[in-house]
Amino acid sequence: MLNMLLFLLIAVGGGLSATWIMIERGSALTTEINGPWTHWTAAGRLDADPYTRAHFARHALLPVSTALIGSYQATLDSEGRPLHSSCEYVLEGPEPSRGWWSLAVFDAGGKLIRNDAGRHSFSSDTAMRAPSGRVAIHLARSARPGNWLPTGGAGRLVLVLQVEDPHDAAMGGAANSGDEPNVQLPSVRRIAC
Amino acid sequence: MLKPSQPRPSKRWLPRLSLHVLLVALVTGGIVHITSTLAIPYMGASTAFDRVSAGLTLNAMRVLPPAAPGSELLPFSDPVHQLAICPFDLNDGLLTVTATLPDPGWSLAIYTQHGDNFYAVAAAGLRQPDVTLVLEPSRATLLNLFGIGTAPNFDPSRIQAPEHRGLVVVRAPRHGRAFEERTAAMLARARCTSGPASG
């Protein structure tokens, strides 16, 4: 009896738990973590590994190849605390890339957050820059000056930053050689709760 | 005075665990892990293809309105993009896809029914914005791995789809209200039609 329980625990429980962790959270084999940002390195590629394929299929997502568009997701702030609509945050940093980029906020289920301003994202076309070229985007329930993304009463938040042609981006970050993406990811700083 | 020795707490259950059971459980756990990982793309109750193709006509491109709260077709649909989508079925033959990708941020991607992106092109890498592709069922067989069978496809405009069904997605960035009419007009140029390209 004890042997049977142990067998089931390891074989079924262990096997499925490992699957869940590898597909939901990813690992060093499948993701790059840079501060609060997670990037599935083989998303949308023909040579994607089974974990990456399962991750995007399970969530019914249609990723564009990471060779063309880099997609970075954050569910934590830069201190490692979960993003929540009851808090206010500011995303700060230089322009993520020389090419086209967008940053959107969603609830934990990947749905847009209803708000009177009808605002859900900023892009390189719509974000205001400081004279220094830096970009600051505020996440808050109520209106803030500058680039403000309303978070309403969504609860847990998910940020998605998309950068076109991440390997050809011009500014800082990783080296511009090889296949390493060259993207400047903003910090996510909690201002108040 | 010495007390009579107390019996030690029993660890008799430990020897009962057979090393063989442990090893077999680990191997079986590995098999469960690999099988479940590989099966997930084919087990989804509602794949992206299912969600998107419901209500759309097969082998016809349709421009969708930008995502809005409550009407998102897929999770994490950024309304900064507007999409034109063509659910395709190659069981009846070839499919010709044409689109215009005029500015940075525009892209065209083709997915299998199970969400694998097997072709993508972005405006940034194009010398001219018009794209014409012919989608055909893959002729690859096991023999091709050994260099036997059909010749490899060197025509970049002929794309072999690994599965017969899937989605063609044209993504256009929305630059603001002043540009919406132009964006919609450019997206409306996207077509997918059964049969080879004419002319």
Side-chain angles (χ1 to χ4, degrees):
Chain A
M1 183 65 185
L2 197 61
N3 279 329
M4 179 58 79
L5 281 176
L6 180 75
F7 177 83
L8 287 175
L9 190 71
I10 294 175
V12 180
L16 292 179
S17 300
T19 302
W20 187 88
I21 290 169
M22 292 295 285
I23 288 173
E24 285 301 308
R25 295 187 184 178
S27 70
L29 296 172
T30 53
T31 56
E32 283 175 357
I33 295 176
N34 189 335
W37 300 97
T38 301
H39 171 55
W40 287 76
T41 52
R45 298 178 79 121
L46 262 182
D47 58 354
D49 55 276
Y51 298 118
T52 301
R53 292 183 63 220
H55 173 80
F56 287 95
R58 184 173 130 67
H59 293 286
L61 301 173
L62 294 175
V64 182
S65 168
T66 52
L68 301 178
I69 291 182
S71 184
Y72 302 81
Q73 200 174 80
T75 56
L76 307 171
D77 66 15
S78 292
E79 304 290 319
R81 296 168 294 212
L83 298 173
H84 199 278
S85 61
S86 60
C87 299
E88 180 179 345
Y89 303 91
V90 62
L91 283 77
E92 288 176 310
E95 192 104 7
S97 89
R98 185 176 59 181
W100 188 89
W101 57 267
S102 76
L103 182 117
V105 62
F106 301 91
D107 69 13
K111 294 187 179 301
L112 294 168
I113 300 167
R114 206 175 288 276
N115 65 84
D116 291 338
R119 191 180 294 169
H120 311 283
S121 61
F122 281 102
S123 72
S124 50
D125 295 321
T126 55
M128 288 187 287
R129 282 85 164 168
S132 63
R134 292 176 71 84
V135 181
I137 296 175
H138 287 263
L139 302 176
R141 284 185 168 186
S142 47
R144 294 288 179 271
N147 302 312
W148 166 56
L149 280 178
T151 54
R156 297 284 287 268
L157 304 173
V158 181
L159 297 170
V160 177
L161 173 68
Q162 293 188 77
V163 178
E164 191 189 41
D165 205 359
H167 305 278
D168 192 36
M171 303 177 65
N176 216 1
S177 57
D179 277 332
E180 288 298 311
N182 192 0
V183 176
Q184 286 278 39
L185 298 170
S187 64
V188 185
R189 187 162 54 87
R190 188 164 88 179
I191 295 175
C193 272
Chain B
M1 184 177 165
L2 287 172
K3 289 182 180 176
S5 61
Q6 298 283 328
R8 285 186 168 185
S10 172
K11 288 186 179 175
R12 285 172 57 197
W13 60 275
L14 267 178
R16 282 190 194 169
L17 296 178
S18 155
L19 187 63
H20 287 99
V21 170
L22 193 64
L23 287 175
V24 171
L26 282 173
V27 172
T28 312
I31 293 170
V32 168
H33 171 67
I34 293 168
T35 310
S36 56
T37 301
L38 294 176
I40 280 176
Y42 304 94
M43 284 169 52
S46 178
T47 63
F49 178 84
D50 295 334
R51 294 189 193 194
V52 169
S53 61
L56 297 183
T57 310
L58 277 176
N59 299 342
M61 189 75 77
R62 182 162 157 205
V63 179
L64 302 180
S71 68
E72 305 98 328
L73 278 177
L74 299 172
F76 301 107
S77 295
D78 187 344
V80 81
H81 282 115
Q82 188 166 8
L83 308 181
I85 293 188
C86 167
F88 64 81
D89 185 341
L90 300 178
N91 281 314
D92 295 331
L94 307 176
L95 185 83
T96 300
V97 179
T98 56
T100 302
L101 309 177
D103 300 312
W106 286 66
S107 66
L108 183 152
I110 312 178
Y111 301 86
T112 66
Q113 184 177 3
H114 297 103
D116 291 326
N117 179 199
F118 62 90
Y119 181 85
V121 61
L126 291 175
R127 289 182 184 160
Q128 52 96 19
D130 296 318
V131 177
T132 301
L133 303 168
V134 176
L135 209 53
E136 59 186 14
S138 173
R139 297 186 299 265
T141 66
L142 200 58
L143 291 176
N144 295 145
L145 291 175
F146 306 101
I148 305 167
T150 55
N153 174 23
F154 292 116
D155 183 350
S157 69
R158 291 184 82 89
I159 309 298
Q160 294 198 4
E163 295 178 17
H164 281 215
R165 304 182 88 189
L167 297 167
V168 179
V169 180
V170 182
R171 287 180 173 84
R174 295 167 68 212
H175 296 291
R177 287 192 180 177
F179 296 91
E180 290 210 341
E181 203 170 312
R182 177 179 179 268
T183 303
M186 288 289 178
L187 264 183
R189 288 191 188 182
R191 295 266 186 282
C192 68
T193 48
S194 298
S198 56

